[in-house]
Amino acid sequence: AQKITQTQPGMFVQEKEAVTLDCTYDTSDQSYGLFWYKQPSSGEMIFLIYQGSYDEQNATEGRYSLNFQKARKSANLVISASQLGDSAMYFCAMREYRSNDYKLSFGAGTTVTVRA
Amino acid sequence: DSGVTQTPKHLITATGQRVTLRCSPRSGDLSVYWYQQSLDQGLQFLIQYYNGEERAKGNILERFSAQQFPDLHSELNLSSLELGDSALYFCASSPPGTGNTIYFGEGSWLTVV
């Protein structure tokens, strides 16, 4: 079964506007972590933000915030005040801590294009 | 700069050949993960090493192998290469424990012709 689902293959957003990228996850673990990564066209994977399953507050990192709704198993990324440099592929990923390996499982990604 | 170093950045090789991709993890990180990213398969977990020992195995082909050395750097060996092995190969590293940090290298672009 797919652990991470990102239903939006591509999105367009106007510069300076906010955009929300959807991510739902599937796990029976109580302890897990959710990550968002950015992959620009150059290919590198850039870590953006992390949310632990026991964190009560939504994570924020600069213009990035994570809207964590545990009961719905949802971990949406919000990018505020979009910039042209935000155009990239964005991946949601999960790490389950019950297993001993802590590897990341990734979604299919969402391509964001910021328009001037 | 994530602190994870991968070499080479780009590699073009012929079918049937063998290549070795190298990864140096962040200082202090004991875990190394290898991922393959292709257009049709997305990001696939291949294998993980922790302090020199294999910890988890994912969708890694038998033609592929990896190891982690005492200095914690890791190598991914790909042999009998096929056109379908063309992909971006990532190494990532993380420190011990259930922390919130897992950083990726810039990746190695492999093209098999």
Side-chain angles (χ1 to χ4, degrees):
Chain A
Q2 196 74 8
K3 288 183 183 283
I4 296 287
T5 302
Q6 295 180 254
T7 57
Q8 306 151 310
M11 298 186 70
F12 290 94
V13 59
Q14 206 63 30
E15 198 177 8
K16 298 180 187 174
E17 291 185 352
V19 61
T20 298
L21 308 183
D22 294 342
C23 172
T24 57
Y25 59 91
D26 182 24
T27 182
S28 56
D29 281 12
Q30 296 301 308
S31 180
Y32 53 89
L34 296 154
F35 297 71
W36 278 92
Y37 288 87
K38 171 185 178 181
Q39 186 178 38
S41 57
S42 51
E44 71 264 38
M45 291 286 283
I46 302 167
F47 167 74
L48 295 178
I49 196 166
Y50 169 86
Q51 179 86 40
S53 58
Y54 294 117
D55 295 340
E56 296 193 352
Q57 302 272 357
N58 284 342
T60 59
E61 289 285 349
R63 294 186 298 110
Y64 304 107
S65 60
L66 201 152
N67 184 2
F68 182 47
Q69 297 186 43
K70 196 170 180 176
R72 296 180 59 189
K73 294 189 174 177
S74 162
N76 298 340
L77 177 71
V78 180
I79 306 173
S80 62
S82 296
Q83 302 171 356
L84 294 177
D86 294 333
S87 294
M89 180 84 105
Y90 289 81
F91 290 95
C92 179
M94 177 173 65
R95 217 177 182 190
E96 295 165 287
Y97 297 126
R98 180 176 57 179
S99 68
N100 205 23
D101 51 49
Y102 307 156
K103 65 182 182 292
L104 285 171
S105 300
F106 282 88
T110 296
T111 301
V112 172
T113 304
V114 181
R115 289 169 162 158
Chain B
D1 182 4
S2 68
V4 181
T5 304
Q6 286 189 249
T7 57
K9 288 192 171 30
H10 295 89
L11 193 55
I12 301 174
T13 190
T15 54
Q17 295 298 305
R18 172 189 169 94
V19 299
T20 297
L21 310 180
R22 183 189 166 99
C23 170
S24 293
R26 286 160 51 98
S27 177
D29 287 0
L30 300 183
S31 276
V32 168
Y33 308 79
W34 286 98
Y35 284 84
Q36 178 195 57
Q37 186 179 28
S38 59
L39 283 174
D40 54 343
Q41 297 285 330
L43 271 156
Q44 297 286 318
F45 167 70
L46 295 179
I47 197 163
Q48 178 206 357
Y49 280 82
Y50 179 85
N51 202 21
E53 301 284 327
E54 183 183 301
R55 177 66 65 90
K57 221 169 190 176
N59 300 323
I60 188 165
L61 299 170
E62 285 191 13
R63 300 183 285 108
F64 296 180
S65 65
Q67 55 184 326
Q68 186 179 28
F69 294 87
D71 66 352
L72 301 178
H73 91 270
S74 178
E75 292 180 357
L76 179 66
N77 301 297
L78 316 174
S79 62
S80 303
L81 285 166
E82 302 174 0
L83 296 178
D85 297 327
S86 295
L88 179 56
Y89 291 85
F90 283 110
C91 168
S93 75
S94 67
T98 60
N100 61 355
T101 54
I102 178 164
Y103 287 94
F104 282 73
E106 293 186 350
S108 292
W109 290 91
L110 173 66
T111 303
V112 183
V113 297

